[in-house]
Each structure stands twice: as structure tokens, then as C-alpha cells.
Amino acid sequence: MTTAVVIRGVGLVILLVLGFMIVARGLTPSAGGVLAFVHMIDLVFHEAGHVMFGFFGQFLGILGGSLNQVLIPVVCTGHFLWHGRTAAAAVTLFWTGESLADVAIYVADGRDMALPLLAEGLIHDWNWILSELSLRNQAVPIGRAVFALAVMVLVAAIGLLAVDVVRRLNEPPSGGVLFSERSDDKTTP
């Protein structure tokens, strides 16, 4: 078994544990731990999205936070897939699913606005978006739908990494500099 297989296997176990934590958390934000840390990373891309998409008007500027938060890992996934880096693509696809789950929590809070914002007086993105679309009273069902999509993406990411692990396990050993197909041959030419 190669180092690449072992590393991918460990990564698969980590994604399984994190996936279970995300699903078990549901639409409740993490109070601490690794998921709260990852949320802070998501938040950086979320806030940057407001600035980047703000050039396209108020609606896209507000939606842009959640949009960018999900688009960044999607673009990374596409890059890795394009270059044949399946394991890396699986990890960034998992990040996409986690980010969607994070957005789902925010969407579901769109009516009640119980989540703390970065500062007093800020607009709750999803309260504003859903109000503009006359869907504020549907915040929880829409949040659940986004969460269901997130779970599907998480499962796809775990499946992609599992397939990569199996593929790597079934590969013949790669020949290094000191490897020869004829290394067991005692005859000389």
C-alpha cells in the first residue's frame, strides 16, 4: 500500500467524521470546534462576496456573500478536476457541501434573525433577500432544501474520494528509478 493510498484513506475517514458532524448539527450553528473554525474561513469569502458582487447592484451585492462563499470551493473543485487531481477535488467538493450547509443555516434564520451578525445595525442578508422575493415566511423550508443539497454534495465528495482510494489501491505499483520489470530475472542479456 502506497503513501498516497494511506493519505487518501485518512482523508476519507476525516471527511466521514466531519460529514457526520455537519449532518448531526443540522441547521444549528456550531458553538465551537472545527466546524466553527471552518465557518470563520467561509465567513471571509462570504464578506468578500458582498464587495465583489456589490458592483452589480444591491440584490446581487447582498446575495453575493452567500454566492461567493459557495463559488470559491466550486471553482477550486473545477480546477482540480480539470487537472486530474481527484483527491483534491473531493476535498474542495466537500468544502462546497460544508459551505452550502453553512449558508442553509443563514437562510433558515431569514425570518427569525436569531443569528448574531458581525456588528449591530447590519442587514441580515437572507431576511432582506427573502423579503424582496416575498418568501420570508418560507425561510426554514428553503433553508432545509439548501441543507438537503449540501448533504448530497457532501455524499458526492465522500464518494469521489472513496472511488479514488479504490482506484489507487488497484493500480499496479509505479516503477521508480530503481524499479525494473526484469529485476527478478537472473539472466543477463
Side-chain angles (χ1 to χ4, degrees):
M1 188 175 323
T2 66
T3 304
V5 173
V6 172
I7 291 171
R8 283 168 173 78
V10 170
L12 183 59
V13 170
I14 291 169
L15 293 189
L16 283 166
V17 169
L18 288 174
F20 177 77
M21 291 169 61
I22 292 166
V23 171
R25 173 190 71 190
L27 293 174
T28 306
S30 299
V34 68
L35 294 181
F37 175 74
V38 174
H39 165 71
M40 296 309 288
I41 295 168
D42 292 338
L43 186 60
V44 171
F45 293 108
H46 179 99
E47 294 305 322
H50 290 306
V51 175
M52 294 185 321
F53 286 93
F55 292 107
F56 303 105
Q58 185 177 18
F59 187 86
L60 275 179
I62 293 173
L63 178 63
S66 295
L67 190 60
N68 196 56
Q69 176 179 337
V70 174
L71 275 178
I72 294 296
V74 166
V75 168
C76 291
T77 301
H79 170 80
F80 289 129
L81 285 173
W82 180 263
H83 292 283
R85 307 287 306 258
T86 309
V91 172
T92 55
L93 184 61
F94 187 89
W95 178 23
T96 304
E98 179 280 326
S99 195
L100 276 167
D102 197 64
V103 168
I105 294 168
Y106 200 16
V107 172
D109 188 57
R111 186 187 68 206
D112 298 339
M113 297 192 305
L115 291 175
L117 301 178
L118 289 177
E120 288 292 320
L122 293 178
I123 294 173
H124 186 295
D125 299 354
W126 284 98
N127 177 273
W128 188 90
I129 292 165
L130 294 172
S131 295
E132 286 294 305
L133 298 172
S134 300
L135 294 171
R136 187 173 48 201
N137 288 332
Q138 302 304 314
V140 172
I142 293 170
R144 285 184 185 140
V146 174
F147 189 77
L149 176 62
V151 171
M152 287 187 274
V153 172
L154 292 170
V155 169
I158 290 167
L160 181 62
L161 187 54
V163 166
D164 191 50
V165 168
V166 170
R167 183 180 61 83
R168 294 281 181 153
L169 274 172
N170 293 326
E171 281 182 349
S174 62
V177 174
L178 300 176
F179 179 84
S180 170
E181 291 290 328
R182 300 178 56 190
S183 63
D184 291 336
D185 187 11
K186 304 283 187 205
T187 63
T188 57

